[in-house]
Amino acid sequence: MYVKGIYTKQIFKTDKGYIVGLFKIKETDHEELKDYINKTITFTGYFASLIEDDTYVLKGELIEHPKYGLQYSVSEYERLLPEDKDGIVAFLSSDLFKGIGESLAKSIVDTLGNNALDLILESKENLLLVPKMTIKKADTIYDTLNKYEESHKTVIYLSELGFNMKDSLSIYNLYKGDTIYKIEYNVYNLLDELDISFPKIDILRHKLDIEDDDERRIKAGIYYSLKNLTYKTGNTYFTLEEIVIEASNLLHINIYSEDVALYLDELRYLNKVKLDEDKYFLKEIYDDEIYVKDKIKYLLSKEQNNYKKLDKYLVELEEENKIEYNVEQVTAIKKSLENNITIITGGPGTGKTTIIKGIVDLYSKLNKYNFEETTKHLALLSPTGRASKKMSESTSYPSSTIHRFLKWSKDDNKFMVNENNPDFSELIIIDEVSMIDIELFSSLLKGLTQNIKIILVGDYNQLPSVGPGNLLKDLIDSEVIDTISLEMIYRQSEDSYIPILAHDIKNNEVTEEFLETKDDYTFLKCSKESIIKNLKNLSLKLVEKGYDYKNVQILAPMYAGINGIDNLNKELQDIYNPKDVTKKEIKIGDIIYRENDKILQLVNNPDENVFNGDIGTIIKILNENESESKKTEIYVQYDYTCVKYLPKDLVKIKHGFAISIHKSQGSEFDLVIMPICMSYHRMLYKKLIYTGITRAKKKLILIGETNAFLMSINNQNEIIRRTNLKNILVSMYNK
């Protein structure tokens, strides 16, 4: 179904070509829009370019937006060149044609008639028939019209092929005039150029006469399979047979190992794949591991610092801060300042935060730096905003996420701080290293100068990074870097059981005592069917005691199911942030967003200084009648910034009353509640439970089935990641 009419006004446009505008309907086959003929309607969609007062045919569907009302969502469009004199004059004198005013446009139409546009496209020479027309202006008009015509024809071609309008625009912006040739030559090249998945491209193959066993398809499928395996499993390499199985499932054809090996050899030649013995790597992942190895080798070979007054200043620091470091902490502080690279690892309560502060204070004292000088030479980094904030609070020095430090650009997914534009810090302390994948760590090392001292802090018993690699474990297991393992629980007292429980889980020493209630720990036993009921009752009691969502965090392993995160958020919203006449709210689908709601950011957005895993609060909701943009606006306050969200942006956030254990990494919460039951059995393993427990700073409440808890902490069969970093680090000294 279609609408034909005039594009009258742009309301909103993104850099990606998404437009919200007004359209005056002249003709339509939509029964619901018959009453709108000669009236204006709001439309949305992706467009190469639109000219106000120009005529278009839009194809799509009528939708009822929950806030904006009736809208026409455009999936395809076609621009119709004007055919009457006034329309052609208006078109040629529009902003599209720079330097062509209404007078010249009229002269063109007077000379060439109502088929002027066709005559111009036919031959540029026809323009020279117009009085006072210069060759330069003729070139401008001809080139502009051709490009305009080309872009629309190309986008129509791509949409007819099966690409949505958004992808069509991205492809055209990539290839411009060569788009059709490039697509027909090898549509699978888009896998390297744009963020479009193999299945999305592959479904179009029949329209392009590509057979199932086409070499282009199989080669692309094999490469995509290797890439998919890497980011799905976290492994950095795979065997030939693993790739064969993955590719066969993806391509839905039987392919022989010998053939896959030949295609992988071609991909090696194209510098996309690396083969080391019988291990196949993505070339960029292999290079990252090698770069990390080489950088570490250099740091280990560099002369160490020999601070003569280190012991003296350390004693002075203890006296000034009225603190007495234990033996482990003294060793960690001294080694960190003497070595060029050091690892400090330990569970909760072992004093990692105290050590970081001690290192910073002693570094400042040894170098006789004031606050500004220390800030200039020191970089405190972490993978998450909340961990970064914790470091800043504990040291009294500014801290940053790694992405923010490296000045990540989301537009081209590149870091502005790199080998060609390094940071000149002297000392880098990185916390929560277990969360860092091999790609990010390699990028960080590339952004540092040779004159650097690196201290890595983390707990290797926590979950590994989401991305490829097992960085902290590999570095520790290689035994090439000085590693201080903190075992002594520093935060231990009779009313502090959480660090003890974490320690016992780590060392497989959990006893029946874990069922007993402590001052900071409780296990509420109940069936999986009654978890929701008990969790709500518990939450109501906590609210009555003065707790709120800011100091209570529910952690769960999974999103789906009755005890999953999504349902927990729905159930808990009205307890921690009940409906109130003073609070505005909006409903998107079946989700209600309300002022004072707890919100979790799901993606990195460096432009707004907010990152994946950051937690904020909705402080204001403006409806379309109140906002300058005439759209509903949701304002979320985070630790460092306030971010505005439009309805289309809400895919970037979720409610945060309950979040996943994975998302909680790098954060600490005063009170953590963890539901645990056999419904989560696929996700119940030791490192996951350990990670969740260690997020609790003051109080921990487990709720659910004790057998599920016992099963999880005894389940050490989580998939072990296969990486090459440890081996190549060890091999440095075996050659």
Side-chain angles (χ1 to χ4, degrees), residues 7-12 19-23 40-44:
Y7 167 53
T8 61
K9 185 181 179 182
Q10 175 182 298
I11 298 173
F12 174 77
I19 291 178
V20 179
L22 299 179
F23 191 80
T40 297
I41 189 171
T42 302
F43 72 91
T44 65

Side-chain angles (χ1 to χ4, degrees), residues 79 91-92 96-98 100 117 120-125 127 135-151 172:
R79 189 261 308 141
F91 178 65
L92 288 173
L96 181 67
F97 297 87
K98 305 298 182 186
I100 310 300
L117 298 177
I120 296 170
L121 288 168
E122 184 181 297
S123 174
K124 172 172 51 180
E125 305 302 320
L127 279 167
I135 294 176
K136 187 177 179 181
K137 282 192 175 180
D139 286 342
T140 298
I141 296 169
Y142 178 79
D143 291 343
T144 303
L145 187 58
N146 258 293
K147 287 177 181 177
Y148 186 70
E149 187 74 1
E150 175 194 85
S151 69
Y172 177 75

Side-chain angles (χ1 to χ4, degrees), residues 46-166:
Y46 288 88
F47 301 87
S49 61
L50 293 176
I51 303 296
E52 289 186 6
D53 300 321
D54 209 355
T55 303
Y56 294 85
V57 174
L58 310 180
K59 294 181 180 180
E61 61 178 343
L62 200 61
I63 61 171
E64 185 69 35
H65 193 280
K67 280 295 180 181
Y68 300 134
L70 201 66
Q71 293 184 343
Y72 196 74
S73 178
V74 181
S75 56
E76 299 178 38
Y77 77 102
E78 181 181 1
R79 189 261 308 141
L80 302 178
L81 287 174
E83 298 176 350
D84 62 289
K85 180 177 179 179
D86 291 342
I88 298 171
V89 170
F91 178 65
L92 288 173
S93 58
S94 69
D95 291 340
L96 181 67
F97 297 87
K98 305 298 182 186
I100 310 300
E102 188 176 345
S103 176
L104 181 56
K106 284 180 178 178
S107 182
I108 292 171
V109 178
D110 288 341
T111 305
L112 300 179
N114 286 1
N115 62 340
L117 298 177
D118 290 331
L119 289 170
I120 296 170
L121 288 168
E122 184 181 297
S123 174
K124 172 172 51 180
E125 305 302 320
N126 288 325
L127 279 167
L128 298 177
L129 300 173
V130 179
K132 299 182 180 180
M133 176 65 68
T134 66
I135 294 176
K136 187 177 179 181
K137 282 192 175 180
D139 286 342
T140 298
I141 296 169
Y142 178 79
D143 291 343
T144 303
L145 187 58
N146 258 293
K147 287 177 181 177
Y148 186 70
E149 187 74 1
E150 175 194 85
S151 69
H152 283 274
K153 284 183 177 179
T154 303
V155 169
I156 290 169
Y157 163 82
L158 292 170
S159 63
E160 289 176 345
L161 195 59
F163 290 103
N164 61 38
M165 197 57 65
K166 181 181 180 181

Side-chain angles (χ1 to χ4, degrees), residues 13 51 84 109 114 120 148 169 210 226 236 276 304 330 347 415 451 460 463 528 548 556 587 600 645 707-708:
K13 183 180 181 181
I51 303 296
D84 62 289
V109 178
N114 286 1
I120 296 170
Y148 186 70
L169 285 180
I210 297 173
L226 177 57
T236 63
D276 187 347
Q304 293 185 334
V330 169
F415 294 112
N451 183 34
Y460 71 91
L463 294 168
K528 62 184 179 183
D548 62 23
K587 188 173 183 180
L600 175 72
Y645 297 88
N707 62 325

Side-chain angles (χ1 to χ4, degrees), residues 167-225:
D167 289 340
S168 296
L169 285 180
S170 297
I171 295 167
Y172 177 75
N173 289 331
L174 176 68
Y175 294 141
K176 298 295 184 184
D178 294 329
T179 298
I180 295 175
Y181 167 76
K182 292 277 191 180
I183 293 298
E184 292 182 347
Y185 177 73
N186 191 352
V187 66
Y188 295 100
N189 283 336
L190 289 173
L191 292 170
D192 295 329
E193 306 282 1
L194 295 173
D195 187 23
I196 302 177
S197 69
F198 181 90
K200 201 171 182 179
I201 294 172
D202 194 50
I203 202 170
L204 312 175
R205 67 186 185 277
H206 299 303
K207 292 184 179 180
L208 292 165
D209 296 323
I210 297 173
E211 299 295 330
D212 288 356
D213 59 353
D214 188 289
E215 181 180 318
R216 295 169 296 179
R217 178 176 185 259
I218 294 177
K219 190 189 296 183
I222 290 169
Y223 178 62
Y224 183 85
S225 295

